[in-house]
Every structure is written in C-alpha cells, then in structure tokens.
Amino acid sequence: MLTMEMIDAAVKIATGMLISGLFFLWYLRRHQSLDGAAAENLRRRRELFESVAANVGKVHYVYQQYLALATEFTRYGVHWPKSRRDELARVGNELVDVFQALTEAESTLLLLGEKRLERSLRIYGAKIVNLRRQVYAEKQQLTGEEIHLIDDVKKEISQLKESFFDALSVRYMPKKALA
C-alpha cells in the first residue's frame, strides 16, 4: 500500500532527477556553445594567417622575378641590353609597389599578437630592400665583392623566408587544434 511518505519520496526523487537533467542539458549546451566560439575564433585566426601567407607570397613572387633579373645583370654587367635594364627597372618599381602587401601582413600579425613573426617578416623585407639598393637598372657594373655580397643576401633572404613560414605553420596549426 502506498503511503504518504512513499509518494512524497517519489516526488522528491522525480523532482531531483528532473532538475539534474535540466542542469545537465544547460551545462552541455553552454560548453558546446563555448566550443563553437573557440572553433570560430580558431577558424578566423587561421584565415588571417592564410592572408598573411598570401601577402608574403605576392611579395616573394615579385622578389623572385627581380632576383632573376638581378642575377642576369650580375652575369652580363655593361653588356646587358637596355631592354633588360628597363625590365629590371619595371620589376624594381613593382617590388616597391607590392611592399604594401608586406606591410599589410605585418599589421595583421601585430593584430594577432604575433610580434616575433612580425619582427622576422620585417627583417625579411629589409633584406629585400637591401638587395634592391645594391642592384638597380641605372648601375653600370658590379664589382666582384658586390656580386659576392648579393649572393650572401640571397641566401639570407631564402633562410629568412623559410624560417618565417616554419614559424607561421606552427602558429597556424596549434597543438590544441590537432587533438
């Protein structure tokens, strides 16, 4: 036979289960929404890193064109045709124009709080500017020492680009995101 105490206990147990279930649902939704926000933040951060990589890629593409012409210039010197000198001047101006993309990439990195990456990118850009100051279309000839310095600068730029992208890829794929 059911007594009042049994009914009271059943109501209390049912109420406790209902409250526990509602609390669990609230907890689950809250953490899913937080996880969703964290995932959205990570996605946005990765998009910004991708835009940085694209901007650096644009600069590096024009730099490679300039480097090819500069290398050709070091080989031919005074005997280099005027049309090729004009092309070197054009690509040199294009390199100056595309540096806006490098500045944009540096700004994005600062926005993301990536000061080390921004600093390494700034050094990379400074080395390219240094190379451009050494080799320009109006210059008639390069000395052997200048050619050697240009080779050293090319190697440094290549190493800087590689180390920048290594560090960028580490920041792009954090270990927490892989788990």
Side-chain angles (χ1 to χ4, degrees):
M1 186 171 305
L2 288 175
T3 65
M4 221 30 174
E5 292 173 3
M6 292 171 72
I7 294 173
D8 182 49
V11 168
K12 287 178 182 177
I13 290 173
T15 304
M17 288 175 53
L18 182 62
I19 290 173
S20 295
L22 290 174
F23 179 76
F24 179 73
L25 285 175
W26 171 80
Y27 177 80
L28 188 62
R29 287 199 179 181
R30 173 144 172 88
H31 281 284
Q32 284 178 344
S33 69
L34 289 177
D35 290 344
E40 179 61 26
N41 287 341
L42 181 62
R43 185 194 62 75
R44 178 68 180 135
R45 188 172 176 83
R46 292 175 96 193
E47 284 177 358
L48 290 171
F49 280 135
E50 289 170 4
S51 76
V52 166
N55 285 337
V56 174
K58 288 176 194 174
V59 172
H60 197 73
Y61 175 74
V62 176
Y63 160 73
Q64 288 292 341
Q65 291 177 330
Y66 187 80
L67 182 61
L69 290 167
T71 303
E72 187 178 323
F73 174 62
T74 61
R75 288 187 188 135
Y76 294 107
V78 178
H79 306 293
W80 208 36
K82 177 159 175 27
S83 63
R84 298 299 283 169
R85 283 183 189 276
D86 293 342
E87 188 173 352
L88 179 63
R90 181 188 60 75
V91 173
N93 290 334
E94 191 176 330
L95 187 60
V96 170
D97 294 341
V98 82
F99 256 73
Q100 177 184 355
L102 197 64
T103 304
E104 186 178 311
E106 290 172 5
S107 300
T108 303
L109 288 172
L110 286 175
L111 179 70
L112 291 169
E114 299 291 342
K115 290 181 181 180
R116 286 185 181 166
L117 281 173
E118 183 272 337
R119 214 172 299 126
S120 69
L121 191 55
R122 198 171 351 116
I123 293 168
Y124 167 79
K127 290 292 182 181
I128 291 175
V129 168
N130 184 26
L131 178 68
R132 188 176 179 283
R133 287 181 181 152
Q134 291 178 14
V135 180
Y136 49 91
E138 295 79 26
K139 197 167 193 170
Q140 293 302 313
Q141 192 169 353
L142 295 170
T143 66
E145 185 179 319
E146 287 175 322
I147 292 172
H148 183 68
L149 285 173
I150 290 169
D151 286 338
D152 290 344
V153 170
K154 289 188 314 190
K155 289 175 188 170
E156 282 182 64
I157 291 171
S158 176
Q159 290 170 346
L160 286 168
K161 177 186 167 262
E162 185 177 331
S163 66
F164 171 77
F165 274 103
D166 285 346
L168 185 66
S169 68
V170 167
R171 300 302 294 160
Y172 181 78
M173 279 301 259
K175 288 184 174 46
K176 290 189 302 186
L178 295 175

